[in-house]
Amino acid sequence: MTEHADGGDRIVVGVDGSEASRAALRWATEAARRLGAEVVAVHAWDPAPALAPYARVRDRAQQAAQRERAAEVLAAAVRETVGPRVDPAVRAVLVEGPAARVLLQQSRGALLLALGLSRPVQDGPRPAVSPVGRECLRRSPVPVVAVPVSERPVPALRAVGPYEVVV
């Protein structure tokens, strides 16, 4: 495995179950394989507003159900993208909180943060960047790779040096 000065031998990927996030996960898996890094697939879930201690039990059960649905989204996205077999180089992480904040925290010390870009809403040539993506691009402590959804195969990466990747 490639050693990095800050221990950042991982690529963090934002996964929300969308086609764009699966494209980012595919890209990150290939890049991590070539760089000798681990992939951390992160799904953030933001529950309903905080409940007071005297809230009804039924409302608390709804939060548990939300967490369970979030875990299912993450598991399905990883399984559909990486395959049904467990890959030790891919770790799935479910974190409660706003997506941008969670992704920024999880990516500290990583090699990269990979995010998917969705197809344009209108007939423009550029992919759309979500509000979460814009916040990550603006405030990320590490380089951000924005992976567009594409019908054509993504070119293979080759490592040139310990910190440089060439497409």
Side-chain angles (χ1 to χ4, degrees), residues 45-100:
W45 71 285
D46 208 0
L51 297 175
Y54 51 82
R56 296 178 299 192
V57 172
R58 186 179 84 218
D59 293 338
R60 292 183 193 284
Q62 288 176 348
Q63 279 191 330
Q66 287 176 347
R67 181 178 179 12
E68 185 63 32
R69 279 192 301 276
E72 289 170 5
V73 166
L74 177 59
V78 171
R79 194 172 38 252
E80 290 170 15
T81 306
V82 180
R85 300 187 75 157
V86 176
D87 184 343
V90 178
R91 185 166 41 106
V93 177
L94 180 66
V95 182
E96 180 180 340

Coordinates of all heavy atoms in Angstrom, one line a residue, residues 45-100:
W45 N -27.2 11.0 6.9 CA -28.6 11.1 7.0 C -29.0 12.1 8.0 O -28.3 12.2 9.1 CB -29.3 9.7 7.2 CG -29.0 9.2 8.6 CD1 -27.9 8.7 9.1 CD2 -30.0 9.2 9.7 NE1 -28.1 8.3 10.4 CE2 -29.3 8.6 10.8 CE3 -31.3 9.6 9.8 CZ2 -30.0 8.5 12.0 CZ3 -31.9 9.5 11.0 CH2 -31.2 8.9 12.1
D46 N -29.9 13.0 7.7 CA -30.3 14.0 8.6 C -31.7 13.7 9.1 O -32.7 13.8 8.3 CB -30.2 15.4 7.9 CG -30.0 16.5 8.8 OD1 -29.8 16.3 10.0 OD2 -29.9 17.7 8.3
P47 N -31.9 13.3 10.3 CA -33.2 12.9 10.8 C -34.1 14.1 11.0 O -33.7 15.3 10.8 CB -32.9 12.3 12.2 CG -31.6 13.0 12.6 CD -30.8 13.3 11.4
A48 N -35.4 13.8 11.2 CA -36.3 14.8 11.5 C -35.8 15.7 12.7 O -34.9 15.2 13.4 CB -37.7 14.2 11.9
P49 N -36.4 16.8 12.9 CA -35.9 17.7 13.9 C -35.8 16.9 15.3 O -36.5 16.0 15.5 CB -37.0 18.8 14.0 CG -37.6 18.8 12.7 CD -37.5 17.4 12.2
A50 N -34.8 17.4 16.1 CA -34.6 16.7 17.4 C -35.9 16.6 18.2 O -36.7 17.6 18.2 CB -33.5 17.5 18.1
L51 N -36.0 15.5 18.8 CA -37.2 15.3 19.6 C -37.0 15.7 21.1 O -35.9 15.4 21.6 CB -37.6 13.8 19.5 CG -38.0 13.4 18.1 CD1 -38.3 11.9 18.2 CD2 -39.2 14.1 17.6
A52 N -38.0 16.2 21.7 CA -37.9 16.5 23.1 C -37.9 15.2 23.9 O -38.5 14.2 23.4 CB -39.0 17.4 23.5
P53 N -37.4 15.2 25.1 CA -37.4 13.9 25.9 C -38.8 13.4 26.1 O -39.0 12.2 26.4 CB -36.8 14.3 27.2 CG -36.1 15.6 27.0 CD -36.7 16.3 25.8
Y54 N -39.8 14.3 26.1 CA -41.2 13.8 26.3 C -42.0 13.5 25.0 O -43.2 13.3 25.0 CB -42.0 14.9 27.1 CG -41.9 16.3 26.5 CD1 -42.7 16.7 25.4 CD2 -40.9 17.2 26.9 CE1 -42.5 17.9 24.8 CE2 -40.8 18.5 26.3 CZ -41.6 18.8 25.3 OH -41.5 20.0 24.7
A55 N -41.2 13.4 23.9 CA -41.9 13.1 22.6 C -42.5 11.7 22.7 O -42.0 10.8 23.4 CB -40.9 13.2 21.5
R56 N -43.5 11.5 21.9 CA -44.2 10.2 21.8 C -43.2 9.1 21.3 O -42.3 9.4 20.5 CB -45.3 10.3 20.9 CG -46.4 11.2 21.3 CD -47.5 11.3 20.3 NE -47.0 11.7 19.1 CZ -47.7 12.1 18.0 NH1 -49.0 12.1 18.1 NH2 -47.1 12.6 16.9
V57 N -43.4 7.9 21.8 CA -42.6 6.8 21.4 C -42.7 6.5 19.9 O -41.7 6.2 19.3 CB -43.0 5.5 22.2 CG1 -42.3 4.3 21.7 CG2 -42.7 5.7 23.7
R58 N -43.8 6.8 19.4 CA -44.0 6.5 17.9 C -43.1 7.4 17.1 O -42.6 7.0 16.1 CB -45.5 6.8 17.6 CG -45.8 6.5 16.1 CD -47.3 6.7 15.8 NE -47.4 8.1 15.4 CZ -48.4 8.9 15.8 NH1 -49.4 8.4 16.5 NH2 -48.5 10.2 15.4
D59 N -42.9 8.7 17.6 CA -42.0 9.6 16.8 C -40.6 9.1 16.9 O -39.8 9.3 16.0 CB -42.1 11.0 17.4 CG -43.5 11.6 17.2 OD1 -44.2 11.2 16.2 OD2 -43.9 12.5 17.9
R60 N -40.2 8.6 18.0 CA -38.8 8.0 18.2 C -38.6 6.8 17.2 O -37.6 6.7 16.7 CB -38.5 7.7 19.6 CG -38.4 8.8 20.5 CD -38.0 8.4 21.9 NE -38.2 9.5 22.9 CZ -37.4 10.5 23.0 NH1 -36.4 10.6 22.3 NH2 -37.7 11.4 23.9
A61 N -39.7 6.0 17.1 CA -39.6 4.9 16.2 C -39.4 5.4 14.7 O -38.7 4.7 13.9 CB -40.8 4.0 16.3
Q62 N -40.0 6.5 14.4 CA -39.8 7.1 13.0 C -38.4 7.4 12.8 O -37.9 7.2 11.7 CB -40.7 8.3 12.8 CG -42.2 7.9 12.7 CD -43.0 9.2 12.6 OE1 -42.6 10.3 12.9 NE2 -44.3 9.0 12.3
Q63 N -37.7 7.9 13.8 CA -36.3 8.2 13.6 C -35.4 7.0 13.4 O -34.5 6.9 12.6 CB -35.7 9.0 14.8 CG -36.0 10.5 14.7 CD -35.2 11.3 15.7 OE1 -34.9 10.8 16.8 NE2 -35.0 12.5 15.4
A64 N -35.8 5.9 14.1 CA -35.1 4.6 13.9 C -35.3 4.1 12.5 O -34.4 3.6 11.9 CB -35.5 3.6 15.0
A65 N -36.6 4.3 12.0 CA -36.9 3.8 10.7 C -36.1 4.6 9.6 O -35.7 4.1 8.6 CB -38.4 3.9 10.4
Q66 N -36.0 5.9 9.9 CA -35.2 6.8 9.0 C -33.7 6.3 8.9 O -33.2 6.2 7.8 CB -35.2 8.2 9.4 CG -36.5 8.9 9.2 CD -36.5 10.3 9.8 OE1 -35.6 10.7 10.5 NE2 -37.5 11.1 9.4
R67 N -33.2 6.0 10.0 CA -31.8 5.5 10.1 C -31.7 4.2 9.3 O -30.7 4.0 8.6 CB -31.3 5.3 11.5 CG -29.9 4.8 11.7 CD -29.5 4.7 13.1 NE -28.2 4.3 13.5 CZ -27.1 4.1 12.8 NH1 -27.1 4.3 11.5 NH2 -26.0 3.7 13.3
E68 N -32.7 3.3 9.5 CA -32.7 2.0 8.8 C -32.7 2.2 7.3 O -32.0 1.6 6.5 CB -33.8 1.1 9.3 CG -33.8 -0.3 8.8 CD -32.6 -1.1 9.2 OE1 -32.1 -0.9 10.3 OE2 -32.2 -1.9 8.4
R69 N -33.6 3.1 6.8 CA -33.7 3.4 5.4 C -32.4 4.0 4.9 O -31.9 3.6 3.8 CB -34.8 4.4 5.1 CG -36.2 3.7 5.1 CD -37.3 4.6 4.5 NE -37.5 5.9 5.3 CZ -38.2 6.0 6.4 NH1 -38.9 5.0 6.9 NH2 -38.3 7.2 7.0
A70 N -31.7 4.8 5.6 CA -30.4 5.4 5.2 C -29.4 4.3 5.1 O -28.6 4.3 4.1 CB -30.0 6.5 6.2
A71 N -29.4 3.3 6.0 CA -28.4 2.2 6.0 C -28.7 1.4 4.7 O -27.8 0.9 4.1 CB -28.5 1.4 7.2
E72 N -30.0 1.2 4.4 CA -30.3 0.4 3.2 C -29.9 1.1 1.9 O -29.4 0.4 1.0 CB -31.9 0.2 3.2 CG -32.3 -0.8 4.2 CD -33.9 -0.8 4.4 OE1 -34.6 -0.2 3.5 OE2 -34.4 -1.5 5.3
V73 N -30.0 2.4 1.9 CA -29.6 3.2 0.7 C -28.1 3.0 0.5 O -27.6 2.7 -0.6 CB -29.9 4.7 0.8 CG1 -29.2 5.5 -0.2 CG2 -31.4 4.9 0.7
L74 N -27.3 3.1 1.6 CA -25.9 3.0 1.5 C -25.5 1.6 1.1 O -24.7 1.4 0.2 CB -25.2 3.3 2.8 CG -23.7 3.2 3.0 CD1 -23.0 4.0 1.9 CD2 -23.3 3.5 4.4
A75 N -26.1 0.6 1.7 CA -25.7 -0.8 1.4 C -26.1 -1.2 0.0 O -25.3 -1.8 -0.8 CB -26.5 -1.8 2.4
A76 N -27.2 -0.7 -0.5 CA -27.7 -1.0 -1.9 C -26.7 -0.3 -2.9 O -26.3 -0.9 -3.9 CB -29.1 -0.5 -2.1
A77 N -26.3 0.9 -2.6 CA -25.5 1.6 -3.6 C -24.1 0.9 -3.6 O -23.6 0.8 -4.7 CB -25.3 3.1 -3.1
V78 N -23.6 0.5 -2.5 CA -22.3 -0.1 -2.5 C -22.4 -1.5 -3.2 O -21.5 -1.9 -4.0 CB -21.7 -0.3 -1.1 CG1 -20.5 -1.2 -1.0 CG2 -21.4 1.1 -0.5
R79 N -23.4 -2.2 -2.9 CA -23.6 -3.6 -3.5 C -23.8 -3.5 -5.0 O -23.2 -4.2 -5.8 CB -24.8 -4.2 -2.8 CG -25.0 -5.7 -3.1 CD -26.1 -6.4 -2.3 NE -27.3 -5.5 -2.1 CZ -27.7 -5.0 -1.0 NH1 -26.9 -5.1 0.1 NH2 -28.8 -4.3 -0.9
E80 N -24.6 -2.5 -5.5 CA -24.8 -2.3 -6.9 C -23.6 -1.9 -7.7 O -23.4 -2.2 -8.8 CB -25.9 -1.3 -7.2 CG -27.3 -1.8 -6.8 CD -28.3 -0.7 -6.8 OE1 -28.1 0.4 -7.4 OE2 -29.4 -0.9 -6.2
T81 N -22.7 -1.1 -7.0 CA -21.5 -0.5 -7.6 C -20.3 -1.4 -7.5 O -19.6 -1.7 -8.5 CB -21.2 0.8 -7.0 OG1 -22.4 1.6 -7.0 CG2 -20.1 1.5 -7.7
V82 N -20.1 -2.0 -6.4 CA -18.8 -2.8 -6.1 C -19.1 -4.2 -6.3 O -18.2 -5.0 -6.7 CB -18.3 -2.5 -4.7 CG1 -17.1 -3.3 -4.4 CG2 -18.0 -1.0 -4.5
G83 N -20.3 -4.7 -6.1 CA -20.7 -6.1 -6.3 C -21.1 -6.7 -5.0 O -20.9 -6.1 -3.9
P84 N -21.7 -7.8 -5.0 CA -22.3 -8.4 -3.8 C -21.2 -9.0 -2.8 O -21.5 -9.1 -1.6 CB -23.1 -9.6 -4.3 CG -22.5 -9.9 -5.6 CD -22.0 -8.7 -6.2
R85 N -20.0 -9.2 -3.3 CA -18.9 -9.7 -2.4 C -18.3 -8.6 -1.6 O -18.2 -7.5 -2.1 CB -17.9 -10.4 -3.2 CG -18.4 -11.6 -4.0 CD -17.3 -12.3 -4.7 NE -16.6 -13.0 -3.6 CZ -15.9 -14.1 -3.8 NH1 -15.7 -14.5 -5.0 NH2 -15.4 -14.7 -2.8
V86 N -18.0 -8.8 -0.4 CA -17.4 -7.8 0.4 C -16.0 -7.6 0.0 O -15.1 -8.5 -0.1 CB -17.4 -8.3 1.9 CG1 -16.7 -7.2 2.8 CG2 -18.8 -8.5 2.4
D87 N -15.7 -6.3 -0.3 CA -14.3 -5.9 -0.7 C -13.7 -5.2 0.4 O -14.2 -4.2 0.9 CB -14.4 -4.9 -1.9 CG -13.1 -4.5 -2.5 OD1 -12.0 -4.7 -1.8 OD2 -13.0 -4.0 -3.6
P88 N -12.6 -5.8 1.0 CA -12.0 -5.2 2.2 C -11.4 -3.8 1.9 O -11.2 -3.0 2.9 CB -10.8 -6.2 2.5 CG -10.6 -6.9 1.3 CD -11.9 -6.9 0.5
A89 N -11.2 -3.4 0.7 CA -10.7 -2.0 0.4 C -11.8 -1.0 0.3 O -11.6 0.2 0.1 CB -10.0 -2.1 -0.9
V90 N -13.1 -1.4 0.5 CA -14.2 -0.5 0.5 C -15.0 -0.6 1.8 O -15.4 -1.7 2.2 CB -15.2 -0.8 -0.7 CG1 -16.4 0.1 -0.6 CG2 -14.5 -0.8 -2.0
R91 N -15.1 0.5 2.5 CA -15.7 0.6 3.8 C -16.9 1.5 3.7 O -16.8 2.6 3.1 CB -14.7 1.1 4.8 CG -15.3 1.1 6.2 CD -14.1 1.3 7.2 NE -13.2 2.3 6.9 CZ -13.1 3.5 7.5 NH1 -13.9 3.8 8.4 NH2 -12.1 4.3 7.1
A92 N -18.1 1.1 4.1 CA -19.3 1.9 4.1 C -19.5 2.5 5.5 O -19.4 1.8 6.5 CB -20.5 1.0 3.8
V93 N -19.8 3.8 5.5 CA -19.9 4.5 6.8 C -21.2 5.3 6.7 O -21.4 6.1 5.8 CB -18.7 5.5 7.0 CG1 -18.9 6.3 8.3 CG2 -17.4 4.7 7.1
L94 N -22.1 5.1 7.7 CA -23.3 5.8 7.9 C -23.2 6.8 9.0 O -22.8 6.4 10.1 CB -24.5 4.8 8.2 CG -25.9 5.4 8.3 CD1 -26.3 6.1 7.0 CD2 -26.8 4.4 8.8
V95 N -23.4 8.1 8.7 CA -23.2 9.2 9.7 C -24.4 10.0 9.8 O -24.9 10.5 8.8 CB -22.0 10.0 9.4 CG1 -21.8 11.1 10.5 CG2 -20.7 9.2 9.3
E96 N -24.9 10.3 11.0 CA -26.0 11.2 11.2 C -25.5 12.7 11.1 O -24.6 13.0 11.8 CB -26.7 11.0 12.5 CG -27.9 11.8 12.8 CD -28.5 11.6 14.2 OE1 -28.3 10.5 14.7 OE2 -29.2 12.5 14.7
G97 N -26.2 13.5 10.3 CA -25.9 14.9 10.2 C -26.1 15.4 8.8 O -26.3 14.7 7.9
P98 N -26.0 16.7 8.7 CA -26.1 17.3 7.3 C -25.0 16.8 6.4 O -23.8 16.7 6.8 CB -25.9 18.8 7.6 CG -26.2 19.0 9.1 CD -25.8 17.7 9.7
A99 N -25.3 16.5 5.2 CA -24.4 15.9 4.3 C -23.1 16.6 4.1 O -22.0 16.0 4.1 CB -25.1 15.6 2.9
A100 N -23.2 17.9 3.8 CA -21.9 18.7 3.6 C -21.0 18.6 4.8 O -19.8 18.3 4.6 CB -22.2 20.1 3.2

